[in-house]
C-alpha cells in the first residue's frame, strides 16, 4: 500500500506542471467579453450590410426593396463608441390608375450615432446601434402629369444584431434595423401629390465587419 501511495504521489508531482499549464490555457480563453481590447488603435471598424427593406406605409403598395448600408466607427475597449454611415433604403412604389402610372420613393440616409458590440460566449456576440439620420427622398411619378421631386428631412434609427467572429479581425452577422424617416413636404404635394409623411423602414440584412 505504501509503495502504491508513493507511486501515486510521484506521478502527481510529475503531472502537476502539465495540469497547471492546461488550466492556465483554459483560463486564457474567456467565455464572454472576448472582444475587449484596450488598444485604441485596434478598435476601428468598417461594416457592410446587404439585405431587404420593408417600408411600413399605406402610401406605397410594393414595399419591399434592396437594403445596402456601410458603416465606419470606433469602439472604446472594443465595446462601445461612435459611428457614421450611409444607407440605401430601397425604392418602394405604388401602381396608380390600374397600372397606367406609378409613384416611387427612393430614400437614402446619412447616419451618425453610437454602436456597441459584446461577445456573450467565446466568438458569439450581440450588437446594437442607434442615432440620428439625415434622409434624402426622391419621389418619381410616371403618367400624363409625370414629375420628380426631392426632399431632405431628419429622423432617427436603431438596430440589433447577432454574429460570430471568424478571426480576430473579421466577423459575420445577421441584423434588424429600423429607420424612422420623414419624407415629403407641402411643396412636394403640388408636384407629385405627396405631402409630408413619417415612415418606418424595417431592414433585414447580413453583414461583414472588418476591424483594423
Amino acid at each position: 500500500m505504501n509503495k502504491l501511495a508513493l507511486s501515486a504521489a510521484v506521478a502527481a508531482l510529475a503531472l502537476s506542471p502539465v495540469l497547471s499549464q492546461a488550466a492556465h490555457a483554459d483560463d486564457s480563453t474567456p467565455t464572454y467579453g472576448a472582444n475587449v481590447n484596450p488598444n485604441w488603435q485596434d478598435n476601428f471598424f468598417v461594416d457592410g450590410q446587404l439585405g431587404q427593406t420593408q417600408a411600413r406605409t399605406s402610401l406605397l403598395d410594393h414595399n419591399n426593396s434592396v437594403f445596402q448600408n456601410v458603416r465606419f466607427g470606433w469602439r472604446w475597449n472594443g465595446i462601445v463608441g461612435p459611428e457614421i454611415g450611409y444607407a440605401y433604403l430601397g425604392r418602394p412604389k405604388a401602381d396608380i390608375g390600374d397600372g397606367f402610372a406609378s409613384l416611387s420613393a427612393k430614400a437614402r440616409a446619412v447616419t451618425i450615432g453610437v454602436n456597441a458590440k459584446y461577445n456573450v460566449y467565446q466568438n458569439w456576440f450581440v450588437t446594437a446601434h442607434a442615432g440620428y439620420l439625415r434622409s434624402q427622398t426622391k419621389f418619381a411619378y410616371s403618367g400624363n402629369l409625370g414629375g420628380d421631386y426631392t426632399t431632405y428631412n431628419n429622423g432617427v434609427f436603431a438596430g440589433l444584431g447577432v454574429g460570430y467572429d471568424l478571426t480576430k479581425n473579421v466577423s459575420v452577422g445577421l441584423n434588424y434595423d429600423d429607420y424612422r424617416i420623414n419624407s415629403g413636404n407641402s411643396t412636394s404635394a403640388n408636384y407629385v401629390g405627396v405631402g409630408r409623411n413619417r415612415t418606418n423602414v424595417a431592414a433585414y440584412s447580413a453583414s461583414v465587419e472588418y476591424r483594423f
Side-chain angles (χ1 to χ4, degrees):
M1 180 66 69
N2 292 334
K3 290 183 179 180
L4 182 60
L6 181 60
S7 299
V10 172
L13 290 173
L15 289 174
S16 60
V18 178
L19 295 175
S20 177
Q21 184 177 1
H24 287 299
D26 291 338
D27 293 340
S28 65
T29 306
T31 57
Y32 61 90
N35 59 302
V36 175
N37 187 345
N39 186 354
W40 68 271
Q41 293 178 330
D42 293 339
N43 291 323
F44 290 94
F45 72 90
V46 59
D47 185 282
Q49 296 173 247
L50 179 64
Q52 184 180 45
T53 59
Q54 182 180 17
R56 296 173 176 171
T57 175
S58 59
L59 177 64
L60 303 168
D61 300 322
H62 307 290
N63 295 333
N64 297 330
S65 193
V66 174
F67 170 69
Q68 297 171 325
N69 188 21
V70 176
R71 301 184 295 126
F72 179 78
W74 177 83
R75 300 187 184 104
W76 176 76
N77 277 356
I79 299 177
V80 63
E83 70 168 35
I84 58 173
Y86 180 81
Y88 174 76
L89 303 177
R91 192 174 185 175
K93 64 180 181 178
D95 292 325
I96 303 173
D98 295 328
F100 289 102
S102 66
L103 172 67
S104 66
K106 182 167 66 174
R108 306 177 183 184
V110 175
T111 61
I112 182 170
V114 295
N115 76 97
K117 175 179 181 286
Y118 192 76
N119 285 68
V120 292
Y121 181 74
Q122 293 183 354
N123 290 12
W124 292 97
F125 63 83
V126 293
T127 60
H129 66 158
Y132 162 88
L133 64 84
R134 180 68 174 173
S135 64
Q136 176 199 70
T137 306
K138 292 184 178 181
F139 292 97
Y141 177 78
S142 65
N144 294 332
L145 300 176
D148 298 333
Y149 194 78
T150 301
T151 63
Y152 298 88
N153 302 92
N154 301 326
V156 294
F157 74 95
L160 297 171
V162 61
Y164 186 83
D165 291 327
L166 297 177
T167 69
K168 177 183 177 182
N169 302 99
V170 180
S171 303
V172 293
L174 297 174
N175 313 277
Y176 169 78
D177 297 294
D178 187 85
Y179 296 83
R180 179 174 294 181
I181 63 173
N182 295 307
S183 59
N185 52 35
S186 58
T187 307
S188 65
N190 298 328
Y191 281 85
V192 292
V194 178
R196 187 175 181 85
N197 290 275
R198 174 175 292 178
T199 303
N200 275 37
V201 179
Y204 307 88
S205 66
S207 63
V208 176
E209 178 180 290
Y210 180 80
R211 291 174 295 280
F212 298 96

